[in-house]
Amino acid sequence: MADDALDGLLAEQIAYYRARAGEYDATYPVDAAARAQLLTALEAHAPFGRTLELACGTGQWTGELARHASALTAVDAAPEALAICRRRPGTDRVDFVEADLFEWRPPERYDFVFFSGWLSHVPPQRFDAFWALVADCLAPGGRVFVIDELPAVADVERAAPGEPAPSVRREVSGGQAFRAVKVLYAPDELRAHLAALDWQADVATVGWRFFFATLRRADGSLAVRLRPVEDGDLDAFFEHQADPVAAAMAVMPVRERDQFDAHWAKIRADDDVIQRTILAGGVVAGGISSWHDGERRLVGYQLGREQWGRGVATRALQQFVDEVPERPLYAHVATSNAGSIRVLQKCGFRRDLAEEAQAPEPEDGVEELIFVLAE
Ligand SMILES: C[S@@+](CC[C@H](N)C(=O)[O-])C[C@H]1O[C@@H](n2cnc3c(N)ncnc32)[C@H](O)[C@@H]1O
């Protein structure tokens, strides 16, 4: 229900920008002095290389980006705004994509990602997922440049109370009114939110109204996120479990394809099983699941070998145990699997010696340790 209300609000936000497209440039709030400062800051980051602009709109910044980029992709949900952007000088080589940014996935990686006037339209409920998308868009060492408005703008907006996300009421000429999400961050607050998501952000203000932020991944590591399993993930999962080195490490049997498909058909039909695909840098890195064995809820994961030793399993398990509320959670791990033992420990799991003492002799002869996450 809450999701439906939010989806409705986000659809209205797109409708607003579609209706406003023709008058957008005449009502753009960035004055010449602010624009000059923002442009200087932006140009300090050139050359941009392969560049992505999110929510490009009518192209207030697209021409500038196109001048510096080796290639530019510009995404927006409003076809009317994109049509105006296409007509701007210097945008003839831009690859325009009409898409909803809450659904769009990047087909490639970019050296530079830019968005202006967009972050404040991302509802708090979608903030983490949006930044995971940005991370997925970035090539290693890539940088992000953000322009948006400061909290003082609330004084010149008309708040729309009672919406599923902080919102304002806007009108287009002719009087049609729309709701749009508007979340205004103070620089410190934004820095702190982004630091929690492993982004290092420098934020500077321009006048009373604007800020710009330059960002890069804090640790230079791959962004890891989880999402529900999709049919297309199974080929990668099959390869991961069929890898003899991985199977030996986890001391797990390798399934033939028909057995594997039957196993997955069974667990995907079982409502008790919680499964997620692990994405590392936007690529299917493995799977993580939780299921009941009698009274106990267990967790387990499998990663492609190319992802080992990069902190992917630890970050995936941390996110997964945040998502699965039930406690205690148990994990069985072969005594010889030192990597997974470390991952469990880093995520707060501890050996459960009492459980181990009660465990029956292993039928397959594989010595296992039992770990538990109590709370
Ligand atoms: C404030 S405008 C910013 C446009 C441009 N970046 C600028 O600085 O002028 C916000 C833009 O977000 C786009 N937009 C709104 N919702 C969107 C969505 N779900 N997916 C993609 N674009 C969206 C609108 O069409 C609009 O062009």
Side-chain angles (χ1 to χ4, degrees), residues 35-350:
R35 185 172 176 92
Q37 278 190 60
L38 290 166
L39 202 51
T40 304
L42 175 62
E43 288 181 334
H45 287 270
F48 303 152
R50 292 162 299 166
T51 300
L52 172 68
E53 183 181 12
L54 300 177
C56 62
T58 59
Q60 283 285 339
W61 298 94
T62 313
E64 304 297 345
L65 295 169
R67 277 196 310 125
H68 295 288
S70 59
L72 175 61
T73 300
V75 185
D76 200 282
E80 295 81 357
L82 286 170
I84 294 170
C85 194
R86 272 198 181 91
R87 293 199 292 270
R88 276 189 193 267
T91 59
D92 42 318
R93 288 190 310 115
V94 178
D95 178 18
F96 287 103
V97 179
E98 183 189 319
D100 182 340
L101 285 173
F102 297 113
E103 286 165 12
W104 180 78
R105 291 285 161 257
E108 57 178 305
R109 305 302 197 84
Y110 304 88
D111 304 307
F112 194 73
V113 177
F114 173 93
F115 38 101
S116 160
W118 168 246
L119 184 60
S120 55
H121 289 319
V122 175
Q125 302 91 315
R126 304 277 173 95
F127 184 89
D128 290 10
F130 171 67
W131 282 101
L133 167 69
V134 178
D136 287 349
C137 291
L138 275 193
R143 293 159 307 137
V144 183
F145 194 100
V146 181
I147 297 173
D148 219 303
E149 291 181 310
L150 290 163
V153 167
D155 293 342
V156 297
E157 290 272 13
R158 195 142 47 103
E163 301 298 341
S167 297
V168 291
R169 237 180 129 62
R170 301 264 183 92
E171 273 177 26
V172 292
S173 64
Q176 201 184 355
F178 299 87
R179 298 164 304 158
V181 172
K182 196 74 187 174
V183 190
L184 298 163
Y185 298 97
D188 282 347
E189 190 192 359
L190 182 61
R191 249 184 243 115
H193 282 318
L194 289 167
L197 300 176
D198 288 339
W199 289 97
Q200 192 207 315
D202 291 319
V203 188
T205 57
V206 173
W208 63 274
R209 185 163 196 152
F210 301 104
F211 72 82
F212 68 88
T214 53
L215 299 99
R216 55 177 71 239
R217 297 297 291 162
D219 57 3
S221 60
L222 290 173
V224 174
R225 68 185 180 86
L226 307 181
R227 63 150 167 71
V229 175
E230 294 172 2
D231 293 346
D233 302 337
L234 296 186
D235 286 346
F237 292 175
F238 176 71
E239 297 298 329
H240 297 158
Q241 63 91 47
D243 175 353
V245 177
M249 176 66 80
V251 201
M252 294 290 283
V254 173
R255 292 188 169 96
E256 296 298 329
R257 186 71 205 220
D258 53 345
Q259 293 172 309
F260 171 89
D261 287 339
H263 171 72
W264 271 92
K266 191 167 131 216
I267 59 176
R268 289 181 84 187
D270 184 343
D271 288 343
D272 182 55
V273 181
I274 305 164
Q275 306 145 358
R276 295 289 178 266
T277 293
I278 304 168
L279 296 174
V283 170
V284 175
I288 186 161
S289 323
S290 176
W291 64 97
H292 270 108
D293 179 17
E295 296 287 291
R296 311 215 178 314
R297 183 166 270 291
L298 298 176
V299 292
Y301 67 84
Q302 184 141 35
L303 272 192
R305 195 165 9 132
E306 62 284 3
Q307 305 293 350
W308 292 4
R310 309 170 87 181
V312 174
T314 304
R315 278 177 287 156
L317 183 58
Q318 276 162 348
Q319 291 175 38
F320 193 64
V321 300
D322 283 348
E323 203 181 317
V324 177
E326 198 174 316
R327 297 289 182 275
L329 280 178
Y330 291 89
H332 290 214
V333 57
T335 320
S336 55
N337 190 350
S340 283
I341 291 172
R342 265 199 311 280
V343 167
L344 288 165
Q345 288 169 333
K346 280 195 229 159
C347 293
F349 284 75
R350 297 290 168 251

